[in-house]
Amino acid sequence: MAILNITYQGQSADYELAIDFAATDGDIHRIATEVVRTGSVRGLHVPDLPQHAFTNYVVDRLEGPDGEQRIYLRPKVPFGA
Amino acid sequence: MARKLVVCGVGALGSTAVQYLRNVDAELRLVDFDRVEAKNLGAQWFVKQSVGKNKAEAVRLQLANFYGAKAEAMGVRLGAHNAEQLLADAALAIDCFDNADSRLVLQTAARAAQLPLVHAAFAADGTFGMVRWDERFTPDREDVAGQATCEGGEHLPMIGLIGATLARTIQDFLARGERRDYLISLSGVVRSH
């Protein structure tokens, strides 16, 4: 099981309920859309979130700083220079 | 002999991070083929007198003139043909490139040389960025070719935050060998590894 962190429009927050670390990217997109719309993510409530808000987002599955499994749903970051 | 840091790309994130690296116990090598344009002044660490100069050379001059700090400028495009030379003697490579292809070239060269590599990157809308070590990094491509980004300067505070986070990450690596990742959003800076 893993913690899901969602970043949207500059706000970033954890979803409190653990989800399957092996969930597909599509599953993560659907779960994130639902929990952000319903206000289940503290500090990240967007009732009118568009259906495809996370379509171009990236799903990272990483080990967190304390060894826990974490899933990050985030915008692409193509830029630097 | 001082350790050498190779900063690849000194536009928005690279030039900003270099400001905060000016007093680290290491030598800086700056790599960028591009030239400073007037539009860059809103989001990158350049001054009016830098317009028209090569970006690596412009940053080198600013470090010298403002702070008396030394750096080496390499005004060339990093590619597979010269990566080994540009990364020679480095203790750390720092990726601040603005496109996935260049990041992949650097990643391939650094991995071949078993050289530590840290990446910094931000989103097109300027609301999110990250600092991530190479073992956990995959370059993202633009959603659409030619996607607009930071040039207008409206994202300058976020660029500053990401650049400062990158510099601190490098400090921690130089001091203790730590390889920490960070996510940077308008909510703050969060360690992710």
Side-chain angles (χ1 to χ4, degrees):
Chain A
M1 302 304 281
I3 299 166
L4 172 62
N5 176 272
I6 303 167
T7 299
Y8 181 71
Q9 291 188 337
Q11 303 301 314
S12 185
D14 285 348
Y15 176 52
E16 292 185 0
L17 297 180
I19 63 172
D20 186 352
F21 193 62
T24 67
D25 289 5
D27 289 339
I28 299 298
H29 289 171
R30 281 190 290 276
I31 292 167
T33 302
E34 182 66 20
V35 297
V36 170
R37 278 181 179 165
T38 58
S40 303
V41 184
R42 186 178 299 177
L44 192 55
H45 184 202
V46 186
D48 56 351
L49 183 75
Q51 181 65 33
H52 300 293
F54 297 124
T55 298
N56 288 325
Y57 275 44
V58 177
V59 178
D60 292 324
R61 294 171 181 78
L62 299 170
E63 187 176 282
D66 298 319
E68 75 280 16
Q69 290 183 320
R70 295 185 67 93
I71 299 172
Y72 295 96
L73 180 63
R74 60 167 179 82
K76 289 182 179 178
V77 286
F79 300 110
Chain B
M1 184 174 163
R3 292 170 290 185
K4 187 162 290 180
L5 312 182
V6 182
V7 183
C8 300
V10 287
L13 295 185
S15 68
T16 301
V18 164
Q19 291 181 74
Y20 301 116
L21 292 171
R22 64 181 183 259
N23 60 2
V24 293
D25 183 21
E27 295 176 356
L28 297 175
R29 177 182 292 158
L30 316 170
V31 181
D32 202 312
F33 74 94
D34 201 5
R35 292 195 172 272
V36 181
E37 299 177 66
K39 65 181 181 182
N40 297 144
L41 301 182
Q44 305 183 18
W45 183 58
F46 296 111
V47 294
K48 280 175 62 178
Q49 291 81 357
S50 301
V51 173
K53 290 188 172 72
N54 168 264
K55 288 186 176 180
E57 177 63 9
V59 171
R60 186 192 72 77
L61 286 170
Q62 289 174 193
L63 287 171
N65 292 335
F66 298 163
Y67 306 111
K70 290 183 179 176
E72 179 184 11
M74 309 294 280
V76 298
R77 185 192 295 269
L78 186 143
H81 64 289
N82 63 3
E84 184 177 350
Q85 180 185 358
L86 292 170
L87 299 176
D89 304 323
L92 173 67
I94 301 155
D95 168 24
C96 295
F97 280 141
D98 65 353
N99 65 88
D101 291 336
S102 295
R103 291 183 191 275
L104 283 170
V105 170
L106 175 57
Q107 186 175 58
T108 301
R111 288 180 178 182
Q114 297 185 304
L115 173 66
L117 170 61
V118 63
H119 304 266
F122 69 98
D125 67 358
T127 62
F128 175 72
M130 66 183 193
V131 172
R132 185 171 286 179
W133 287 86
D134 188 56
E135 49 269 37
R136 293 173 291 277
F137 182 82
T138 302
D140 293 341
R141 294 197 177 275
E142 302 166 58
D143 293 329
V144 293
Q147 194 168 12
T149 179
C150 61
E151 286 174 350
E154 68 270 31
H155 305 314
L156 188 55
M158 178 59 88
I159 291 166
L161 193 57
I162 301 168
T165 303
L166 173 61
R168 177 55 198 242
T169 302
I170 293 165
Q171 278 188 330
D172 290 342
F173 173 77
L174 293 174
R176 292 178 294 280
E178 294 173 345
R179 298 188 184 201
R180 294 180 170 180
D181 297 347
Y182 293 94
L183 301 178
I184 302 103
S185 69
L186 302 178
S187 308
V189 179
V190 176
R191 185 180 165 198
S192 58
H193 186 89

